Amino acid sequence: MSAIEAPVAPRRPPPLTRSSRPRTVGRLGTVLTVATLVVVSAVVLLPFVWMVSASFRTQGDLTGNPTTLWPATITFDNYVNIWQRIPFGRQLLNTVAFAGTVTAVSVLLDAMAAYALARFQFPGRGVIFVLIIVTLMLPIQVTFVPVYNLLADLGWINSLHGLVIPRVADAFGIFFLRQAFLSVPVELEDAARIDGASEWRIFFRVMLPLTGPALLTVALFNLLANWNDLLWPLMVTTDPSMQTLPAGLALFKGEHVSDYGLLMAGALLALLPMVAVFLFVQRRFIEGIATTGLK
Amino acid sequence: MRTRILALTTAAALTAALTSCGGTEAGSDEPVTISFWNTYTASNRPTVEKIVDDFNASQSAVVVEMTIQPGDVQAQKLLPAYSAGEGPTIAAIDASQVPEFASLGVIQPVDDLYESGKLDASQLPEASLAATEYEGAQYGVPMMATPTMLYYNKSLFEQAGLSEPPSTMDELAEYAKQLTQYAPGAEATNVHGFAIADSAAPPVWAALLWSRGGGVVDGDPATFGDPATVEAMGYWNDLIQVDHISPVGLGGVEADALFAAGRAGMLINGPWASAGFTEAGVDYGVAPVPAGPAGQFTIAISSNMHLNAEATEEEAAAAYDFFAHWNSEEQQTTWATSTGFPPNLTTIDEAALAENPTSLAFSKAVGARFYLQGLQQAAAIDSGVVIPTIQRVTNGEGTPQELLPAAGAQIEELLSE
Amino acid sequence: MSAPQRLLPRRSERTITATLAGPRPVPRVRVLRRSSIQRRRTRTAAAFLAPASLVLGVFVLYPMLDALRASFTDARIIGPADWVGLANYAELLADDRFWNALWNTALYAVVTAPLSVAIALGLALMLNRAVPARLLFRAIIFFPFVTSLSLVSIAWAFLFDPQVGTAAAWLSQVGLPIGNGINDPQWAMPAVMLVGIWRNIGFFMVMFLAGLQSIPRELKEAAAVDGAAGFRHFRTMTWPLLANTTMFVVVIAAIFAFQAFDQMYVMTGGGPFFSTETLVMYIYDTGFEQYRTGYASAVSWALVLVVLTISIGQLWYFRKRAVQY
């Protein structure tokens, strides 16, 4: 991604023709766009509205008056109780440790592998690429038992490294970053080679900075995937002190009856950090492009 | 980069080596630690935790480490864990799974627990003990045993001029018709007389079929393809299609939601739903599922605790102590009054249960029997044949005459494999 | 994020050309013996690939191959497993429930993948411009991807519960009753498709945004000077330059669609009578509810074959359209 070349987000829509209409068309276009976005947003947010409503109601209110979204009385009990009913704070920390570590390491490993696949010609390149994509295709339900047995054989059950290491490379990130590296102008790389830089130098000083937004995007996706992962941490650990947030929240789901208020309160609390990360990444997108465009 | 990988791998190897020699060696002074897996999440969790904590606090010879996981997670982990040697000492599973687990050899019989007198089998639910027998050996210790019963909405009953719950199945059908206020296209406001869940719930349809002489497999009044079952299913299906006593295709959660919202006159379910209905402000009563022409039947549900086949003698003894604790009078009273399940001990006084009327009511069921008891193919039969067939019938994709004989043949095939 | 000045030539010295015909080979920068350069580059490539490949190989590929091996046995979740050759595959070819699941999955994929990609692209184009509250809209549209799908499916299930659901009641009031909603065999699949599309549009949108922002400004300005109007501008300039990203999104969308599971599991349980049972649900049922691991593995590998064929087709289609700067 040639962030250096990337366009500054225009303040006005680019002129469509050389006629004298642009401003009116532009404004109408913007109004229509915003209207569409508002409608889309309303549909998108609908389940979250329900979740928020459920989190501020008692269970009896929710099940007794299910057709309305408005609480009979607004209660904060769910948000207060959730910290006691499960060790929310510790599980939050566990989740941060797990997801954070995996993300940090995986972005690096994925970038390296993606760089090799995008920029180097070597025998078997196509086969390796396809193999990597194939790893995306088998449902986890099927690899559950073999992976579990492998971890048990290694003695990695209930350990932090058992939790982290199997996840530090993922095909999605490699695939995505390969696209990003393919978009970097070859000339930039070649120029660096002409200057005598080593491959590592080129990678760290040229390729990575140029694909900043893509790296951030992959980091975001990996963070999300691991933050919300229920099955993997539960597969590897039985020790309650190592449990992550999804595992804790799952305890409010019963076979027959669930504590919906607590469940939704927990789910909303758990997603706030992810929203913050997303906003941070998106700002960097826009900011990054804006500043480099000025050079 | 290479050094980092090397470091990680070395660290991993070291950790693995260290953890593998860190197992608890129970000397004469150190308590025996045993693990206990179950799926009592949500509102039952505090009670289960309390009973375990009481056990750990009451003596110093045994420590029980409990792991509670959602049902589907435990289902995925349990057998692989056993196979990898990481299985729990005690596992609580539904009675329907015992044949599979016993035949795979991952759990071991506990006859000596009963023979030694530590636990008196005569005081425990007979049906549960029968359901956890496999090839003549007793594998289970009751953890939870309950029948399903008939919830009825007293306010709706009053409005319809009914004062008592139905005493026969025919009356139930009549009442259901009277309680139903149905207008086509008004799904959001209709009131239904009898909410019947066909999936993700206790198998209510089985009880409906049994009561009229129908059934699913041998041991039931009739098997799935028999004319009696065709007639029974047709009877209830007509009530649904013509009189709209129940919406079609209700799942367990939806049926409960309908009753909690005060729009279902009756519902067959277990005691776990009662607290929710109370909170939702429903004025309800609990009555036994009434008798039909072929007898009085209801669904029995039971989860039991099982001992790991690879448990050492020490661990087995420790587990037995815990089993005895769980089924002691004091703990069972706590269990019943806190959760609403009936107590496992038949000797507990009614007065002791007075503070939880649900528990009292659910101890008075008649005719509770297990659905597809003792069959290894239970899951395949139920979710593969019975439920889809019922859904086809109620959705008008075929009549019972057309669909049931073929479905019955499918069940026979599954059983013969 | 500043470009290291020493390694990169000044902007004015660079020329950017967009090649729309196939990828060019990487030019050799020094005139030395070709084979030694090539060998050195292969070694370097191997070094870069090694860590990720090791992890993927051990913890993903190896279990996959283990599952492949299991598919030729009659393995139950634990216990002895006897070799049965192709018996599992023969069984699945004759298994109605398998074909039903395959059909449902294919239907689901064919509808949700193109729709979600198209909607995501539209949203990305809208949000790539200077629209007010752009960041807020992006965040909102991305929201569905931020939560656990199984938790939010609970919300969907409640909202659209035909009898007590809020949304069901609203729709009924405005004259669009949903009848028996998700319990109606005709509406169950559209309902889970809707949830699937809802879930992924934010995800694909973010990827398209990344792709859009990688299009060099010179090209956009050149097009503007040429007077390319709105849609033509998109069709002739933006769309071709977006090919790399589009390829990626399309491949991923198909792979994800074929693995649909969570919302069906929570909302319909695969019903009514298997009308929303996808392949992964069937695999879960055979593997963990019937304990037939061998058969479940066979079904899984059948799924892999189907998805792989589709992905290779997609990759091949886009290969000719790959963009190299």
Side-chain angles (χ1 to χ4, degrees):
Chain A
M1 297 235 291
S2 53
I4 295 186
E5 248 71 34
V8 178
R11 292 251 159 258
R12 284 187 324 226
L16 302 173
T17 64
R18 287 198 214 98
S19 79
S20 58
R21 283 190 333 164
R23 280 220 175 82
T24 326
V25 174
R27 204 164 286 151
L28 181 63
T30 312
V31 167
L32 277 176
T33 307
V34 173
T36 316
L37 287 170
V38 167
V39 170
V40 170
S41 301
V43 173
V44 160
L45 283 179
L46 190 56
F48 294 102
V49 173
W50 186 89
M51 288 171 74
V52 170
S53 159
S55 72
F56 284 108
R57 302 165 83 169
T58 61
Q59 182 94 339
D61 182 19
L62 178 66
T63 50
N65 310 306
T67 325
T68 170
L69 286 177
W70 199 251
T73 44
I74 297 187
T75 169
F76 291 94
D77 283 351
N78 293 322
Y79 286 98
V80 170
N81 290 341
I82 194 157
W83 294 87
Q84 294 140 18
R85 290 285 294 272
I86 51 172
F88 194 85
R90 186 179 60 216
Q91 287 176 350
L92 179 61
L93 285 176
N94 286 342
T95 315
V96 169
F98 165 60
T101 313
V102 171
T103 304
V105 181
S106 69
V107 169
L108 179 64
L109 262 56
D110 289 347
M112 286 166 55
Y115 178 51
L117 288 172
R119 279 292 190 249
F120 291 73
Q121 301 276 22
F122 52 89
R125 179 169 88 154
V127 171
I128 293 184
F129 180 53
V130 169
L131 271 181
I132 288 179
I133 298 193
V134 165
T135 63
L136 285 173
M137 297 179 187
L138 200 68
I140 45 156
Q141 286 79 357
V142 166
T143 49
F144 185 102
V145 176
V147 174
Y148 182 86
N149 288 333
L150 178 61
L151 289 178
D153 287 342
L154 287 172
W156 283 12
I157 299 283
N158 269 324
S159 69
L160 183 60
H161 46 270
L163 202 51
V164 168
I165 293 183
R167 308 282 277 205
V168 294
D170 71 294
F172 176 83
I174 297 175
F175 193 6
F176 184 70
L177 288 174
R178 177 179 169 272
Q179 299 308 111
F181 286 126
L182 280 176
S183 309
V184 174
V186 185
E187 284 80 4
L188 303 180
E189 225 187 301
D190 293 344
R193 277 203 195 93
I194 290 172
D195 283 348
S198 74
E199 295 297 342
W200 293 102
R201 204 99 191 273
I202 295 176
F203 180 67
F204 279 103
R205 292 303 208 89
V206 179
M207 302 305 285
L208 287 189
L210 285 179
T211 52
L215 290 172
L216 280 175
T217 308
V218 168
L220 172 68
F221 290 152
N222 278 352
L223 191 62
L224 261 179
N226 288 296
W227 187 268
N228 285 325
D229 198 338
L230 171 68
L231 207 52
W232 172 253
L234 277 181
M235 185 207 297
V236 179
T237 66
T238 20
D239 189 349
S241 69
M242 291 181 75
Q243 269 183 356
T244 56
L245 269 179
L249 290 180
L251 289 180
F252 293 120
K253 260 191 88 174
E255 235 178 281
H256 308 280
V257 183
S258 302
D259 289 328
Y260 293 114
L262 285 161
L263 190 54
M264 295 302 139
L268 288 171
L269 284 178
L271 73 78
L272 288 180
M274 291 296 102
V275 176
V277 171
F278 173 76
L279 287 173
F280 171 78
V281 169
Q282 282 294 303
R283 281 204 86 80
R284 296 282 290 168
F285 254 97
I286 298 170
E287 263 174 31
I289 279 111
T291 52
T292 54
L294 287 172
K295 289 175 64 62
Chain B
M1 196 58 226
R2 227 165 275 146
T3 31
R4 200 202 282 202
I5 299 288
L6 193 58
L8 275 172
T9 327
T10 321
L14 274 173
T15 322
L18 284 170
T19 48
S20 66
C21 19
T24 356
E25 285 295 332
S28 50
D29 303 15
E30 283 184 34
V32 180
T33 309
I34 57 176
S35 47
F36 175 30
W37 288 12
N38 65 71
T39 59
Y40 284 87
T41 56
S43 45
N44 295 322
R45 185 166 60 100
T47 313
V48 176
E49 285 174 344
K50 178 169 183 307
I51 298 179
V52 170
D53 290 342
D54 273 355
F55 180 70
N56 287 336
S58 71
Q59 44 77 46
S60 54
V62 180
V63 173
V64 171
E65 280 176 1
M66 178 165 65
T67 305
I68 299 183
Q69 292 164 122
D72 50 358
V73 175
Q74 182 176 288
Q76 288 181 60
K77 274 180 81 165
L78 200 49
L79 284 172
Y82 279 133
S83 142
E86 302 269 340
T89 322
I90 306 174
I93 58 176
D94 187 81
S96 60
Q97 309 230 334
V98 174
E100 178 75 33
F101 278 54
S103 74
L104 286 171
V106 293
I107 54 179
Q108 57 170 299
V110 292
D111 293 288
D112 48 347
L113 168 66
Y114 297 108
E115 282 158 17
S116 72
K118 217 164 189 180
L119 205 50
D120 185 356
S122 65
Q123 293 183 341
L124 296 172
E126 219 184 291
S128 289
L129 292 174
T132 51
E133 251 188 52
Y134 182 78
E135 289 182 354
Q138 179 59 251
Y139 279 84
V141 177
M143 183 173 179
M144 176 277 278
T146 183
T148 55
M149 297 190 72
L150 185 70
Y151 286 89
Y152 63 101
N153 186 324
K154 286 182 179 167
S155 338
L156 287 178
F157 265 53
E158 255 178 66
Q159 280 174 30
L162 303 164
S163 52
E164 290 294 316
S167 51
T168 67
M169 273 301 196
D170 289 333
E171 250 179 45
L172 192 152
E174 264 315 303
Y175 287 14
K177 285 196 257 190
Q178 289 178 39
L179 289 160
T180 301
Q181 300 162 33
Y182 176 83
E187 278 83 8
T189 48
N190 287 338
V191 174
H192 296 271
F194 181 38
I196 304 174
D198 60 23
S199 57
V204 175
W205 269 99
L208 297 180
L209 294 175
W210 292 337
S211 72
R212 299 197 65 85
V216 181
V217 289
D218 281 327
D220 292 352
T223 64
F224 209 50
D226 285 349
T229 312
V230 172
E231 190 267 326
M233 190 173 290
Y235 174 85
W236 290 105
N237 188 42
D238 286 341
L239 285 167
I240 294 174
Q241 304 299 333
V242 175
D243 303 289
H244 305 284
I245 62 171
S246 170
V248 171
L250 280 183
V253 174
E254 289 164 321
D256 290 352
L258 194 61
F259 193 85
R263 293 186 25 222
M266 295 179 278
L267 171 77
I268 293 180
N269 207 346
W272 46 78
S274 61
F277 296 155
T278 313
E279 279 171 25
V282 180
D283 181 18
Y284 67 93
V286 174
V289 175
Q296 188 168 17
F297 299 99
T298 188
I299 306 293
I301 296 179
S302 169
S303 72
N304 302 273
M305 297 181 281
H306 302 271
L307 184 62
N308 193 329
E310 295 182 358
T312 65
E313 263 187 51
E314 233 164 13
E315 290 168 339
Y320 285 5
D321 282 342
F322 179 69
F323 293 154
H325 173 87
W326 182 272
N327 283 308
S328 64
E329 188 157 326
E330 188 192 332
Q331 299 303 326
Q332 278 301 303
T333 311
T334 308
W335 171 250
T337 52
S338 304
T339 63
F341 286 112
N344 292 341
L345 291 176
T346 48
T347 53
I348 290 190
D349 204 41
E350 270 194 25
L353 298 177
E355 64 182 88
N356 194 325
T358 306
S359 175
L360 197 52
F362 274 81
S363 331
K364 295 182 190 304
V366 179
R369 62 189 298 262
F370 286 96
Y371 174 59
L372 301 178
Q373 179 177 336
L375 293 174
Q376 257 174 286
Q377 304 88 336
I381 292 173
D382 189 41
S383 61
V385 183
V386 176
I387 292 179
T389 307
I390 293 173
Q391 287 175 336
R392 285 202 171 93
V393 168
T394 52
N395 273 292
E397 300 270 325
T399 65
Q401 287 88 336
E402 288 161 8
L403 295 175
L404 257 58
Q410 253 185 299
I411 295 179
E412 293 303 316
E413 222 188 286
L414 282 170
L415 287 171
S416 65
E417 277 170 14
Chain C
M1 221 171 44
S2 58
Q5 292 297 27
R6 196 164 73 78
L7 292 178
L8 293 175
R10 307 232 173 272
R11 226 166 103 182
S12 52
E13 293 162 14
R14 282 183 242 122
T15 54
I16 311 295
T17 55
T19 315
L20 291 174
R24 299 178 312 190
V26 176
R28 297 176 194 66
V29 294
R30 272 181 233 174
V31 185
L32 280 181
R33 280 157 298 167
R34 166 182 167 165
S35 56
S36 110
I37 298 281
Q38 193 53 34
R39 268 205 305 279
R40 177 143 52 97
R41 286 184 65 74
T42 306
R43 273 203 304 276
T44 318
F48 274 96
L49 262 178
S53 307
L54 185 66
V55 172
L56 280 178
V58 171
F59 293 104
V60 186
L61 268 179
Y62 168 69
M64 283 177 75
L65 293 173
D66 201 46
L68 182 61
R69 189 194 49 81
S71 74
F72 295 114
T73 70
D74 65 356
R76 298 181 70 78
I77 220 169
I78 62 175
D82 298 320
W83 190 263
V84 295
L86 291 172
N88 285 329
Y89 290 96
E91 187 185 335
L92 73 83
L93 285 176
D95 185 353
D96 283 339
R97 206 167 147 190
F98 167 76
W99 289 107
N100 175 63
L102 179 58
W103 168 254
N104 286 338
T105 314
L107 183 63
Y108 179 86
V110 160
V111 172
T112 60
L115 266 180
S116 32
V117 171
I119 295 175
L121 179 58
L123 290 171
L125 289 170
M126 275 191 251
L127 288 168
N128 197 33
R129 304 160 63 207
V131 177
R134 175 162 62 149
L135 200 57
L136 176 66
F137 282 123
R138 287 187 188 185
I140 290 176
I141 292 170
F142 193 68
F143 238 60
F145 203 71
V146 171
T147 43
S148 130
L149 183 56
S150 50
L151 281 182
V152 87
S153 297
I154 297 176
W156 280 111
F158 261 96
L159 277 171
F160 284 94
D161 181 322
Q163 280 80 34
V164 301
T166 313
W170 286 347
L171 286 171
S172 169
Q173 276 165 17
V174 300
L176 293 168
I178 64 168
N180 211 18
I182 204 164
N183 296 324
D184 184 332
Q186 291 199 326
W187 287 105
M189 182 54 100
V192 293
M193 283 179 175
L194 181 70
V195 175
I197 294 174
W198 169 89
R199 164 81 167 175
N200 285 328
I201 47 177
F203 179 50
F204 299 148
M205 176 193 75
V206 167
M207 292 198 273
F208 275 124
L209 280 172
L212 282 172
Q213 277 156 357
S214 74
I215 296 176
R217 190 159 69 128
E218 278 85 352
L219 297 173
K220 279 196 170 171
E221 287 175 349
V225 167
D226 282 347
F231 186 69
R232 246 193 77 212
H233 170 91
F234 172 74
R235 192 167 59 83
T236 53
M237 285 306 302
T238 317
W239 175 249
L241 289 174
L242 209 48
N244 285 348
T245 309
T246 311
M247 176 198 88
F248 176 78
V249 174
V250 162
V251 172
I252 289 290
I255 294 178
F256 282 11
F258 269 88
Q259 305 210 9
F261 175 79
D262 283 303
Q263 74 263 38
M264 290 83 172
Y265 187 71
V266 172
M267 293 172 77
T268 63
F273 47 92
F274 308 129
S275 51
T276 55
E277 184 173 72
T278 56
L279 275 172
V280 179
M281 289 202 69
Y282 186 43
I283 290 167
Y284 181 80
D285 184 75
T286 36
F288 288 104
E289 285 170 16
Q290 296 182 43
Y291 301 124
R292 298 186 58 199
T293 316
Y295 188 62
S297 303
V299 177
S300 309
W301 273 94
L303 169 62
V304 171
L305 278 175
V306 171
V307 179
L308 187 58
T309 313
I310 294 175
S311 297
I312 290 185
Q314 290 169 326
L315 286 172
W316 177 84
Y317 174 81
F318 277 97
R319 207 166 132 260
K320 297 179 293 181
R321 293 162 177 73
V323 182
Q324 193 93 14
Y325 291 100

